[in-house]
mmCIF file of all heavy atoms in Angstrom:
data_model
loop_
_atom_site.group_PDB
_atom_site.id
_atom_site.type_symbol
_atom_site.label_atom_id
_atom_site.label_comp_id
_atom_site.label_asym_id
_atom_site.label_seq_id
_atom_site.Cartn_x
_atom_site.Cartn_y
_atom_site.Cartn_z
ATOM 1 N N PRO Q 1 -161.410 -94.346 -41.614
ATOM 2 C CA PRO Q 1 -162.741 -94.621 -41.450
ATOM 3 C C PRO Q 1 -163.349 -95.433 -42.650
ATOM 4 O O PRO Q 1 -164.231 -96.341 -42.432
ATOM 5 C CB PRO Q 1 -163.468 -93.268 -41.223
ATOM 6 C CG PRO Q 1 -162.411 -92.403 -40.683
ATOM 7 C CD PRO Q 1 -161.086 -92.907 -41.276
ATOM 8 N N LEU Q 2 -162.864 -95.123 -43.817
ATOM 9 C CA LEU Q 2 -163.316 -95.802 -44.969
ATOM 10 C C LEU Q 2 -162.928 -97.311 -44.971
ATOM 11 O O LEU Q 2 -163.754 -98.149 -45.282
ATOM 12 C CB LEU Q 2 -162.688 -95.176 -46.232
ATOM 13 C CG LEU Q 2 -163.121 -95.862 -47.537
ATOM 14 C CD1 LEU Q 2 -164.647 -95.744 -47.783
ATOM 15 C CD2 LEU Q 2 -162.324 -95.184 -48.715
ATOM 16 N N GLN Q 3 -161.710 -97.558 -44.507
ATOM 17 C CA GLN Q 3 -161.205 -98.963 -44.419
ATOM 18 C C GLN Q 3 -162.062 -99.660 -43.382
ATOM 19 O O GLN Q 3 -162.456 -100.796 -43.541
ATOM 20 C CB GLN Q 3 -159.759 -99.083 -44.073
ATOM 21 C CG GLN Q 3 -158.867 -98.488 -45.181
ATOM 22 C CD GLN Q 3 -157.452 -98.465 -44.766
ATOM 23 O OE1 GLN Q 3 -157.189 -97.943 -43.696
ATOM 24 N NE2 GLN Q 3 -156.569 -98.855 -45.631
ATOM 25 N N LEU Q 4 -162.320 -99.030 -42.215
ATOM 26 C CA LEU Q 4 -163.160 -99.681 -41.192
ATOM 27 C C LEU Q 4 -164.565 -99.895 -41.613
ATOM 28 O O LEU Q 4 -165.109 -100.995 -41.367
ATOM 29 C CB LEU Q 4 -163.220 -98.793 -40.022
ATOM 30 C CG LEU Q 4 -161.807 -98.718 -39.194
ATOM 31 C CD1 LEU Q 4 -162.037 -97.631 -38.084
ATOM 32 C CD2 LEU Q 4 -161.419 -99.969 -38.605
ATOM 33 N N ARG Q 5 -165.085 -99.082 -42.534
ATOM 34 C CA ARG Q 5 -166.460 -99.146 -43.056
ATOM 35 C C ARG Q 5 -166.437 -100.384 -44.003
ATOM 36 O O ARG Q 5 -167.395 -101.180 -43.981
ATOM 37 C CB ARG Q 5 -166.898 -97.922 -43.742
ATOM 38 C CG ARG Q 5 -168.360 -97.895 -44.001
ATOM 39 C CD ARG Q 5 -168.789 -96.563 -44.644
ATOM 40 N NE ARG Q 5 -168.519 -95.384 -43.675
ATOM 41 C CZ ARG Q 5 -167.751 -94.295 -44.090
ATOM 42 N NH1 ARG Q 5 -167.102 -94.216 -45.232
ATOM 43 N NH2 ARG Q 5 -167.458 -93.387 -43.239
ATOM 44 N N LEU Q 6 -165.462 -100.528 -44.783
ATOM 45 C CA LEU Q 6 -165.310 -101.694 -45.609
ATOM 46 C C LEU Q 6 -165.237 -103.022 -44.867
ATOM 47 O O LEU Q 6 -165.892 -104.015 -45.277
ATOM 48 C CB LEU Q 6 -164.158 -101.550 -46.615
ATOM 49 C CG LEU Q 6 -164.198 -100.387 -47.703
ATOM 50 C CD1 LEU Q 6 -162.956 -100.329 -48.421
ATOM 51 C CD2 LEU Q 6 -165.402 -100.744 -48.610
ATOM 52 N N ILE Q 7 -164.493 -103.019 -43.773
ATOM 53 C CA ILE Q 7 -164.355 -104.254 -42.932
ATOM 54 C C ILE Q 7 -165.765 -104.520 -42.448
ATOM 55 O O ILE Q 7 -166.157 -105.803 -42.393
ATOM 56 C CB ILE Q 7 -163.351 -104.024 -41.842
ATOM 57 C CG1 ILE Q 7 -161.925 -104.052 -42.435
ATOM 58 C CG2 ILE Q 7 -163.398 -105.099 -40.891
ATOM 59 C CD1 ILE Q 7 -160.855 -103.556 -41.424
ATOM 60 N N GLY Q 8 -166.464 -103.572 -41.881
ATOM 61 C CA GLY Q 8 -167.853 -103.837 -41.391
ATOM 62 C C GLY Q 8 -168.793 -104.386 -42.435
ATOM 63 O O GLY Q 8 -169.580 -105.234 -42.171
ATOM 64 N N ALA Q 9 -168.672 -103.732 -43.620
ATOM 65 C CA ALA Q 9 -169.615 -104.143 -44.735
ATOM 66 C C ALA Q 9 -169.264 -105.622 -45.082
ATOM 67 O O ALA Q 9 -170.247 -106.253 -45.479
ATOM 68 C CB ALA Q 9 -169.352 -103.224 -45.936
ATOM 69 N N ARG Q 10 -168.005 -105.854 -45.079
ATOM 70 C CA ARG Q 10 -167.605 -107.292 -45.434
ATOM 71 C C ARG Q 10 -168.315 -108.272 -44.456
ATOM 72 O O ARG Q 10 -168.812 -109.335 -44.788
ATOM 73 C CB ARG Q 10 -166.141 -107.506 -45.426
ATOM 74 C CG ARG Q 10 -165.633 -108.735 -46.061
ATOM 75 C CD ARG Q 10 -164.111 -108.841 -46.090
ATOM 76 N NE ARG Q 10 -163.577 -107.655 -46.518
ATOM 77 C CZ ARG Q 10 -162.448 -106.977 -46.026
ATOM 78 N NH1 ARG Q 10 -161.910 -107.430 -44.984
ATOM 79 N NH2 ARG Q 10 -161.976 -105.967 -46.614
ATOM 80 N N GLY Q 11 -168.236 -107.929 -43.166
ATOM 81 C CA GLY Q 11 -168.926 -108.658 -42.179
ATOM 82 C C GLY Q 11 -170.376 -108.699 -42.266
ATOM 83 O O GLY Q 11 -170.992 -109.865 -42.139
ATOM 84 N N GLY Q 12 -171.012 -107.607 -42.751
ATOM 85 C CA GLY Q 12 -172.500 -107.636 -42.990
ATOM 86 C C GLY Q 12 -172.811 -108.489 -44.143
ATOM 87 O O GLY Q 12 -173.834 -109.208 -44.134
ATOM 88 N N ARG Q 13 -172.044 -108.450 -45.180
ATOM 89 C CA ARG Q 13 -172.300 -109.281 -46.368
ATOM 90 C C ARG Q 13 -172.223 -110.737 -46.025
ATOM 91 O O ARG Q 13 -173.039 -111.651 -46.422
ATOM 92 C CB ARG Q 13 -171.386 -108.927 -47.502
ATOM 93 C CG ARG Q 13 -171.821 -107.713 -48.186
ATOM 94 C CD ARG Q 13 -171.008 -107.533 -49.503
ATOM 95 N NE ARG Q 13 -169.573 -107.383 -49.319
ATOM 96 C CZ ARG Q 13 -168.800 -106.316 -49.142
ATOM 97 N NH1 ARG Q 13 -169.455 -105.130 -49.148
ATOM 98 N NH2 ARG Q 13 -167.579 -106.283 -48.921
ATOM 99 N N THR Q 14 -171.134 -111.079 -45.153
ATOM 100 C CA THR Q 14 -170.985 -112.483 -44.796
ATOM 101 C C THR Q 14 -172.194 -112.933 -43.932
ATOM 102 O O THR Q 14 -172.691 -114.071 -44.094
ATOM 103 C CB THR Q 14 -169.660 -112.656 -43.960
ATOM 104 O OG1 THR Q 14 -168.639 -112.102 -44.756
ATOM 105 C CG2 THR Q 14 -169.359 -114.050 -43.678
ATOM 106 N N PHE Q 15 -172.579 -112.124 -43.013
ATOM 107 C CA PHE Q 15 -173.736 -112.406 -42.174
ATOM 108 C C PHE Q 15 -174.943 -112.674 -43.049
ATOM 109 O O PHE Q 15 -175.718 -113.672 -42.845
ATOM 110 C CB PHE Q 15 -173.976 -111.381 -41.175
ATOM 111 C CG PHE Q 15 -175.165 -111.561 -40.268
ATOM 112 C CD1 PHE Q 15 -175.049 -112.344 -39.154
ATOM 113 C CD2 PHE Q 15 -176.375 -110.926 -40.490
ATOM 114 C CE1 PHE Q 15 -176.152 -112.613 -38.373
ATOM 115 C CE2 PHE Q 15 -177.444 -111.204 -39.724
ATOM 116 C CZ PHE Q 15 -177.361 -112.048 -38.672
ATOM 117 N N GLY Q 16 -175.271 -111.827 -43.970
ATOM 118 C CA GLY Q 16 -176.372 -111.941 -44.893
ATOM 119 C C GLY Q 16 -176.300 -113.211 -45.748
ATOM 120 O O GLY Q 16 -177.242 -113.971 -45.874
ATOM 121 N N ARG Q 17 -175.172 -113.518 -46.137
ATOM 122 C CA ARG Q 17 -175.000 -114.725 -47.018
ATOM 123 C C ARG Q 17 -175.163 -115.974 -46.159
ATOM 124 O O ARG Q 17 -175.858 -116.862 -46.562
ATOM 125 C CB ARG Q 17 -173.531 -114.736 -47.525
ATOM 126 C CG ARG Q 17 -173.238 -116.022 -48.474
ATOM 127 C CD ARG Q 17 -171.916 -115.909 -49.249
ATOM 128 N NE ARG Q 17 -170.862 -115.670 -48.308
ATOM 129 C CZ ARG Q 17 -170.024 -114.610 -48.295
ATOM 130 N NH1 ARG Q 17 -170.162 -113.566 -49.124
ATOM 131 N NH2 ARG Q 17 -169.031 -114.460 -47.430
ATOM 132 N N ASN Q 18 -174.783 -115.964 -44.920
ATOM 133 C CA ASN Q 18 -175.064 -117.112 -43.993
ATOM 134 C C ASN Q 18 -176.457 -117.216 -43.717
ATOM 135 O O ASN Q 18 -177.019 -118.364 -43.667
ATOM 136 C CB ASN Q 18 -174.112 -116.999 -42.753
ATOM 137 C CG ASN Q 18 -172.651 -117.120 -42.981
ATOM 138 O OD1 ASN Q 18 -172.213 -117.671 -43.993
ATOM 139 N ND2 ASN Q 18 -171.871 -116.576 -42.130
ATOM 140 N N GLN Q 19 -177.064 -116.144 -43.479
ATOM 141 C CA GLN Q 19 -178.560 -116.141 -43.148
ATOM 142 C C GLN Q 19 -179.328 -116.692 -44.326
ATOM 143 O O GLN Q 19 -180.224 -117.491 -44.130
ATOM 144 C CB GLN Q 19 -179.069 -114.665 -42.926
ATOM 145 C CG GLN Q 19 -178.710 -114.202 -41.462
ATOM 146 C CD GLN Q 19 -179.342 -114.961 -40.373
ATOM 147 O OE1 GLN Q 19 -178.905 -115.873 -39.760
ATOM 148 N NE2 GLN Q 19 -180.589 -114.526 -40.065
ATOM 149 N N ARG Q 20 -179.014 -116.247 -45.543
ATOM 150 C CA ARG Q 20 -179.776 -116.760 -46.764
ATOM 151 C C ARG Q 20 -179.471 -118.247 -46.925
ATOM 152 O O ARG Q 20 -180.386 -118.972 -47.237
ATOM 153 C CB ARG Q 20 -179.193 -116.035 -47.966
ATOM 154 C CG ARG Q 20 -179.848 -114.625 -48.107
ATOM 155 C CD ARG Q 20 -179.415 -114.025 -49.398
ATOM 156 N NE ARG Q 20 -178.114 -113.768 -49.637
ATOM 157 C CZ ARG Q 20 -177.425 -112.743 -49.181
ATOM 158 N NH1 ARG Q 20 -178.014 -111.849 -48.462
ATOM 159 N NH2 ARG Q 20 -176.126 -112.712 -49.414
ATOM 160 N N ALA Q 21 -178.297 -118.717 -46.617
ATOM 161 C CA ALA Q 21 -177.906 -120.179 -46.758
ATOM 162 C C ALA Q 21 -178.659 -120.957 -45.697
ATOM 163 O O ALA Q 21 -179.200 -122.078 -45.938
ATOM 164 C CB ALA Q 21 -176.395 -120.444 -46.599
ATOM 165 N N ARG Q 22 -178.787 -120.343 -44.490
ATOM 166 C CA ARG Q 22 -179.583 -121.102 -43.401
ATOM 167 C C ARG Q 22 -181.028 -121.175 -43.798
ATOM 168 O O ARG Q 22 -181.677 -122.190 -43.548
ATOM 169 C CB ARG Q 22 -179.367 -120.279 -42.119
ATOM 170 C CG ARG Q 22 -179.348 -121.087 -40.873
ATOM 171 C CD ARG Q 22 -179.018 -120.206 -39.655
ATOM 172 N NE ARG Q 22 -177.579 -120.045 -39.519
ATOM 173 C CZ ARG Q 22 -177.023 -118.859 -39.364
ATOM 174 N NH1 ARG Q 22 -177.688 -117.763 -39.207
ATOM 175 N NH2 ARG Q 22 -175.650 -118.750 -39.342
ATOM 176 N N ARG Q 23 -181.572 -120.097 -44.302
ATOM 177 C CA ARG Q 23 -182.985 -120.142 -44.745
ATOM 178 C C ARG Q 23 -183.179 -121.119 -45.891
ATOM 179 O O ARG Q 23 -184.264 -121.761 -45.886
ATOM 180 C CB ARG Q 23 -183.487 -118.734 -45.182
ATOM 181 C CG ARG Q 23 -183.656 -117.778 -44.009
ATOM 182 C CD ARG Q 23 -184.452 -116.596 -44.412
ATOM 183 N NE ARG Q 23 -184.021 -115.395 -43.575
ATOM 184 C CZ ARG Q 23 -183.399 -114.424 -44.038
ATOM 185 N NH1 ARG Q 23 -182.893 -114.297 -45.222
ATOM 186 N NH2 ARG Q 23 -183.014 -113.429 -43.167
ATOM 187 N N ALA Q 24 -182.304 -121.184 -46.767
ATOM 188 C CA ALA Q 24 -182.456 -122.182 -47.888
ATOM 189 C C ALA Q 24 -182.382 -123.568 -47.381
ATOM 190 O O ALA Q 24 -183.217 -124.436 -47.852
ATOM 191 C CB ALA Q 24 -181.344 -121.924 -48.919
ATOM 192 N N ARG Q 25 -181.565 -123.832 -46.404
ATOM 193 C CA ARG Q 25 -181.474 -125.208 -45.833
ATOM 194 C C ARG Q 25 -182.736 -125.573 -45.126
ATOM 195 O O ARG Q 25 -183.248 -126.703 -45.147
ATOM 196 C CB ARG Q 25 -180.383 -125.346 -44.836
ATOM 197 C CG ARG Q 25 -179.084 -125.848 -45.560
ATOM 198 C CD ARG Q 25 -177.962 -125.995 -44.497
ATOM 199 N NE ARG Q 25 -177.491 -124.602 -44.323
ATOM 200 C CZ ARG Q 25 -176.780 -124.218 -43.343
ATOM 201 N NH1 ARG Q 25 -176.389 -125.030 -42.388
ATOM 202 N NH2 ARG Q 25 -176.420 -122.975 -43.271
ATOM 203 N N ILE Q 26 -183.316 -124.638 -44.427
ATOM 204 C CA ILE Q 26 -184.673 -124.836 -43.664
ATOM 205 C C ILE Q 26 -185.775 -125.037 -44.707
ATOM 206 O O ILE Q 26 -186.602 -125.856 -44.450
ATOM 207 C CB ILE Q 26 -184.826 -123.645 -42.667
ATOM 208 C CG1 ILE Q 26 -183.945 -123.623 -41.529
ATOM 209 C CG2 ILE Q 26 -186.322 -123.737 -42.210
ATOM 210 C CD1 ILE Q 26 -184.046 -122.458 -40.666
ATOM 211 N N ALA Q 27 -185.662 -124.297 -45.798
ATOM 212 C CA ALA Q 27 -186.694 -124.470 -46.877
ATOM 213 C C ALA Q 27 -186.673 -125.791 -47.522
ATOM 214 O O ALA Q 27 -187.759 -126.380 -47.846
ATOM 215 C CB ALA Q 27 -186.565 -123.370 -47.888
ATOM 216 N N LEU Q 28 -185.506 -126.499 -47.509
ATOM 217 C CA LEU Q 28 -185.401 -127.753 -48.083
ATOM 218 C C LEU Q 28 -185.921 -128.906 -47.211
ATOM 219 O O LEU Q 28 -186.263 -130.055 -47.579
ATOM 220 C CB LEU Q 28 -184.017 -128.173 -48.430
ATOM 221 C CG LEU Q 28 -183.321 -127.214 -49.520
ATOM 222 C CD1 LEU Q 28 -181.888 -127.613 -49.688
ATOM 223 C CD2 LEU Q 28 -184.029 -127.382 -50.821
ATOM 224 N N VAL Q 29 -186.125 -128.684 -45.943
ATOM 225 C CA VAL Q 29 -186.606 -129.656 -44.988
ATOM 226 C C VAL Q 29 -188.132 -129.830 -45.184
ATOM 227 O O VAL Q 29 -188.775 -128.779 -45.250
ATOM 228 C CB VAL Q 29 -186.300 -129.232 -43.516
ATOM 229 C CG1 VAL Q 29 -186.968 -130.209 -42.500
ATOM 230 C CG2 VAL Q 29 -184.825 -129.191 -43.324
ATOM 231 N N PRO Q 30 -188.598 -130.955 -45.432
ATOM 232 C CA PRO Q 30 -189.994 -131.203 -45.672
ATOM 233 C C PRO Q 30 -190.818 -130.784 -44.370
ATOM 234 O O PRO Q 30 -190.433 -131.026 -43.202
ATOM 235 C CB PRO Q 30 -190.179 -132.596 -45.961
ATOM 236 C CG PRO Q 30 -189.057 -133.315 -45.424
ATOM 237 C CD PRO Q 30 -187.885 -132.282 -45.378
ATOM 238 N N THR Q 31 -191.864 -130.060 -44.524
ATOM 239 C CA THR Q 31 -192.748 -129.649 -43.444
ATOM 240 C C THR Q 31 -193.565 -130.868 -42.909
ATOM 241 O O THR Q 31 -193.989 -131.587 -43.720
ATOM 242 C CB THR Q 31 -193.719 -128.482 -43.790
ATOM 243 O OG1 THR Q 31 -194.462 -128.990 -44.885
ATOM 244 C CG2 THR Q 31 -192.901 -127.349 -44.220
ATOM 245 N N PRO Q 32 -193.656 -131.029 -41.650
ATOM 246 C CA PRO Q 32 -194.497 -132.081 -41.124
ATOM 247 C C PRO Q 32 -195.901 -131.959 -41.365
ATOM 248 O O PRO Q 32 -196.397 -130.770 -41.590
ATOM 249 C CB PRO Q 32 -194.152 -132.089 -39.618
ATOM 250 C CG PRO Q 32 -193.738 -130.661 -39.308
ATOM 251 C CD PRO Q 32 -193.119 -130.226 -40.629
ATOM 252 N N GLY Q 33 -196.633 -133.005 -41.483
ATOM 253 C CA GLY Q 33 -198.104 -133.003 -41.726
ATOM 254 C C GLY Q 33 -198.819 -132.344 -40.568
ATOM 255 O O GLY Q 33 -198.252 -132.035 -39.544
ATOM 256 N N PRO Q 34 -200.144 -132.148 -40.698
ATOM 257 C CA PRO Q 34 -200.841 -131.454 -39.605
ATOM 258 C C PRO Q 34 -200.897 -132.439 -38.422
ATOM 259 O O PRO Q 34 -200.954 -133.631 -38.546
ATOM 260 C CB PRO Q 34 -202.217 -131.309 -40.219
ATOM 261 C CG PRO Q 34 -202.346 -132.246 -41.345
ATOM 262 C CD PRO Q 34 -200.942 -132.400 -41.839
ATOM 263 N N ALA Q 35 -200.741 -131.821 -37.306
ATOM 264 C CA ALA Q 35 -200.724 -132.553 -35.998
ATOM 265 C C ALA Q 35 -202.094 -133.086 -35.656
ATOM 266 O O ALA Q 35 -203.139 -132.329 -35.932
ATOM 267 C CB ALA Q 35 -200.225 -131.691 -34.837
ATOM 268 N N ALA Q 36 -202.196 -134.167 -35.137
ATOM 269 C CA ALA Q 36 -203.471 -134.857 -34.752
ATOM 270 C C ALA Q 36 -203.899 -134.019 -33.460
ATOM 271 O O ALA Q 36 -203.147 -133.729 -32.633
ATOM 272 C CB ALA Q 36 -203.278 -136.270 -34.436
ATOM 273 N N PRO Q 37 -205.274 -133.745 -33.413
ATOM 274 C CA PRO Q 37 -205.648 -132.973 -32.258
ATOM 275 C C PRO Q 37 -205.574 -133.877 -31.010
ATOM 276 O O PRO Q 37 -205.818 -135.099 -31.048
ATOM 277 C CB PRO Q 37 -207.249 -132.814 -32.603
ATOM 278 C CG PRO Q 37 -207.506 -133.744 -33.610
ATOM 279 C CD PRO Q 37 -206.247 -133.987 -34.370
ATOM 280 N N LEU Q 38 -205.222 -133.267 -29.907
ATOM 281 C CA LEU Q 38 -205.037 -134.019 -28.633
ATOM 282 C C LEU Q 38 -206.439 -134.344 -28.036
ATOM 283 O O LEU Q 38 -207.379 -133.495 -28.039
ATOM 284 C CB LEU Q 38 -204.263 -133.089 -27.634
ATOM 285 C CG LEU Q 38 -202.822 -132.867 -28.067
ATOM 286 C CD1 LEU Q 38 -202.185 -131.939 -26.977
ATOM 287 C CD2 LEU Q 38 -201.993 -134.150 -28.086
ATOM 288 N N ARG Q 39 -206.598 -135.535 -27.662
ATOM 289 C CA ARG Q 39 -207.888 -135.944 -26.994
ATOM 290 C C ARG Q 39 -207.672 -135.700 -25.482
ATOM 291 O O ARG Q 39 -206.545 -135.958 -24.950
ATOM 292 C CB ARG Q 39 -208.158 -137.338 -27.221
ATOM 293 C CG ARG Q 39 -208.557 -137.684 -28.738
ATOM 294 C CD ARG Q 39 -209.016 -139.087 -28.928
ATOM 295 N NE ARG Q 39 -207.876 -139.867 -28.523
ATOM 296 C CZ ARG Q 39 -208.084 -141.244 -28.161
ATOM 297 N NH1 ARG Q 39 -209.148 -141.808 -28.136
ATOM 298 N NH2 ARG Q 39 -207.043 -141.985 -27.736
ATOM 299 N N ALA Q 40 -208.685 -135.269 -24.905
ATOM 300 C CA ALA Q 40 -208.649 -135.068 -23.471
ATOM 301 C C ALA Q 40 -208.719 -136.467 -22.792
ATOM 302 O O ALA Q 40 -209.525 -137.348 -23.116
ATOM 303 C CB ALA Q 40 -209.893 -134.328 -23.011
ATOM 304 N N ALA Q 41 -207.748 -136.812 -21.936
ATOM 305 C CA ALA Q 41 -207.706 -138.065 -21.259
ATOM 306 C C ALA Q 41 -208.767 -138.171 -20.266
ATOM 307 O O ALA Q 41 -209.098 -137.132 -19.574
ATOM 308 C CB ALA Q 41 -206.334 -138.151 -20.550
ATOM 309 N N ARG Q 42 -209.387 -139.268 -20.179
ATOM 310 C CA ARG Q 42 -210.474 -139.474 -19.159
ATOM 311 C C ARG Q 42 -209.867 -139.524 -17.785
ATOM 312 O O ARG Q 42 -208.865 -140.274 -17.553
ATOM 313 C CB ARG Q 42 -211.171 -140.801 -19.464
ATOM 314 C CG ARG Q 42 -212.360 -140.957 -18.585
ATOM 315 C CD ARG Q 42 -213.035 -142.319 -18.854
ATOM 316 N NE ARG Q 42 -214.084 -142.536 -17.889
ATOM 317 C CZ ARG Q 42 -214.006 -142.924 -16.669
ATOM 318 N NH1 ARG Q 42 -212.804 -143.158 -16.178
ATOM 319 N NH2 ARG Q 42 -214.995 -143.171 -15.862
ATOM 320 N N THR Q 43 -210.390 -138.681 -16.930
ATOM 321 C CA THR Q 43 -209.893 -138.666 -15.578
ATOM 322 C C THR Q 43 -210.816 -139.520 -14.657
ATOM 323 O O THR Q 43 -211.978 -139.595 -14.914
ATOM 324 C CB THR Q 43 -209.823 -137.168 -15.000
ATOM 325 O OG1 THR Q 43 -211.120 -136.660 -15.087
ATOM 326 C CG2 THR Q 43 -208.947 -136.364 -15.858
ATOM 327 N N GLN Q 44 -210.124 -140.057 -13.640
ATOM 328 C CA GLN Q 44 -210.810 -140.929 -12.785
ATOM 329 C C GLN Q 44 -211.419 -140.095 -11.658
ATOM 330 O O GLN Q 44 -210.837 -139.178 -11.113
ATOM 331 C CB GLN Q 44 -209.849 -141.967 -12.174
ATOM 332 C CG GLN Q 44 -210.426 -143.047 -11.466
ATOM 333 C CD GLN Q 44 -209.333 -143.946 -10.957
ATOM 334 O OE1 GLN Q 44 -208.295 -143.565 -10.618
ATOM 335 N NE2 GLN Q 44 -209.707 -145.277 -10.921
ATOM 336 N N SER Q 45 -212.681 -140.363 -11.406
ATOM 337 C CA SER Q 45 -213.373 -139.563 -10.270
ATOM 338 C C SER Q 45 -212.843 -140.147 -8.919
ATOM 339 O O SER Q 45 -212.315 -141.245 -8.759
ATOM 340 C CB SER Q 45 -214.864 -139.753 -10.323
ATOM 341 O OG SER Q 45 -215.279 -141.061 -9.963
ATOM 342 N N THR Q 46 -213.068 -139.413 -7.884
ATOM 343 C CA THR Q 46 -212.642 -139.741 -6.549
ATOM 344 C C THR Q 46 -213.338 -140.909 -6.122
ATOM 345 O O THR Q 46 -212.643 -141.855 -5.540
ATOM 346 C CB THR Q 46 -212.873 -138.601 -5.580
ATOM 347 O OG1 THR Q 46 -212.313 -137.404 -6.153
ATOM 348 C CG2 THR Q 46 -212.331 -138.874 -4.202
ATOM 349 N N ALA Q 47 -214.579 -141.063 -6.316
ATOM 350 C CA ALA Q 47 -215.441 -142.251 -5.951
ATOM 351 C C ALA Q 47 -214.920 -143.480 -6.656
ATOM 352 O O ALA Q 47 -214.792 -144.556 -5.974
ATOM 353 C CB ALA Q 47 -216.843 -142.057 -6.254
#
């Protein structure tokens, strides 16, 4: 059971390391500017 626990911990550490690397890559991507508000399109009346 101790060896199995160590194998599981190794997987957990790897998962955590990959998650941190993923978050760091996302943090490096510049955030887009504020979106322009959508204007309501003028609809044509039936007449």
Side-chain angles (χ1 to χ4, degrees):
L2 178 62
Q3 289 172 320
L4 292 173
R5 197 173 300 122
L6 290 175
I7 291 171
R10 193 177 311 132
R13 282 192 299 270
T14 305
F15 178 80
R17 184 172 53 246
N18 291 339
Q19 284 291 96
R20 285 188 297 278
R22 211 171 284 131
R23 282 193 211 112
R25 269 181 281 161
I26 291 173
L28 294 176
V29 175
T31 57
L38 295 176
R39 291 185 301 158
R42 184 182 176 283
T43 58
Q44 189 178 37
S45 71
T46 305

